[in-house]
Amino acid sequence: MSLPHAILTALLEKPSSGLELTRRFDKSIGYFWSATHQQIYRELGKLEADGLIRTLPAQAPARGQKKSYEVLPAGRAELARWTAAGQDPKPLRDTLLLRLRAAAVVGTAGLETDLRRHLDLHRRQLAEYREIEKRDFPPDRDAPEDRLRHLVLRAGIDLETFWTQWLTHALAEFPELSERH
């Protein structure tokens, strides 16, 4: 289960409220591990009940004040244990690839348009990742924690590069494939 570990990571980087975590997920962690606002809040409750995080004391008592959380030593230990543990890669499950396989037996109607849509989405995501890289990882930023974060971003850039290249190749094949079906 990786959502609790994603939350522990985010809270170790910066103690935050549930709303702040949701915003941070939307801007960084969510690119490779997404979670809804409700999932984050539900998981915060579990992590707190398990003694891995705690609510920070409020600066001043106020109704409706948002709770901020920090990681306790047990949470840091759990994250370190999880980080060090081995894990097998997950098998690829991609609906688009399955649809292409199905097209081999039922025809390609509608697929070319969707391939173009996918290509556009991947190109936009790649451009966004490259902009983040340019903004957040200048050449002089080479502390170990920055280099690790940059490696994660590079994985996203490389995956989006793969998809844009593969979809471009697939679309180049499509005129001939469409004629046969």
Side-chain angles (χ1 to χ4, degrees), residues 3 7 17-26 34-45 66:
L3 179 57
I7 291 172
S17 69
L19 181 58
E20 290 165 337
L21 277 175
T22 300
R23 289 180 180 148
R24 288 175 56 211
F25 262 72
D26 289 345
S34 62
T36 65
H37 186 76
Q38 293 84 5
Q39 289 171 316
I40 290 170
Y41 274 95
R42 191 169 39 247
E43 201 59 51
L44 284 169
K66 58 186 175 185

Side-chain angles (χ1 to χ4, degrees), residues 12-180:
L12 278 169
E13 291 173 344
K14 181 182 175 194
S16 305
S17 69
L19 181 58
E20 290 165 337
L21 277 175
T22 300
R23 289 180 180 148
R24 288 175 56 211
F25 262 72
D26 289 345
K27 293 179 182 173
S28 62
I29 292 173
Y31 286 121
F32 56 91
W33 197 269
S34 62
T36 65
H37 186 76
Q38 293 84 5
Q39 289 171 316
I40 290 170
Y41 274 95
R42 191 169 39 247
E43 201 59 51
L44 284 169
K46 289 178 189 174
L47 289 167
E48 190 170 28
D50 291 344
L52 302 178
I53 65 172
R54 74 175 181 127
T55 304
L56 288 170
Q59 299 297 334
R63 283 185 58 120
Q65 185 177 22
K66 58 186 175 185
K67 293 194 282 186
S68 287
Y69 299 89
E70 71 176 352
V71 177
L72 294 170
R76 181 180 282 277
E78 168 53 23
L79 187 59
R81 182 210 59 77
W82 178 77
T83 301
Q87 186 174 6
D88 292 336
K90 294 201 182 285
L92 178 63
R93 290 179 60 169
D94 190 280
T95 306
L96 180 61
L97 297 176
L98 183 57
R99 290 173 55 220
L100 283 171
R101 180 69 184 253
V105 292
V106 298
T108 60
L111 273 175
E112 186 173 2
T113 301
D114 204 38
L115 287 173
R116 290 188 192 290
R117 185 179 67 81
H118 277 254
L119 179 57
D120 183 53
L121 292 170
H122 285 289
R123 282 180 174 156
R124 282 191 268 155
Q125 189 64 64
L126 179 57
E128 187 174 342
Y129 284 163
R130 286 186 172 147
E131 194 58 39
I132 292 169
E133 182 179 44
K134 187 175 158 184
R135 181 192 69 219
D136 294 348
F137 297 100
D140 62 335
R141 194 167 176 190
D142 66 348
E145 58 273 12
D146 291 327
R147 291 175 68 189
L148 287 168
R149 289 181 185 114
H150 193 193
L151 279 173
V152 174
L153 179 61
R154 283 297 324 165
I157 289 170
D158 291 348
L159 285 168
E160 294 303 329
T161 299
F162 161 78
W163 281 112
T164 57
Q165 290 173 346
W166 181 84
L167 285 159
T168 300
H169 174 79
L171 283 163
E173 298 261 343
F174 236 77
E176 187 178 320
L177 295 172
S178 299
E179 291 171 8
R180 292 185 182 174

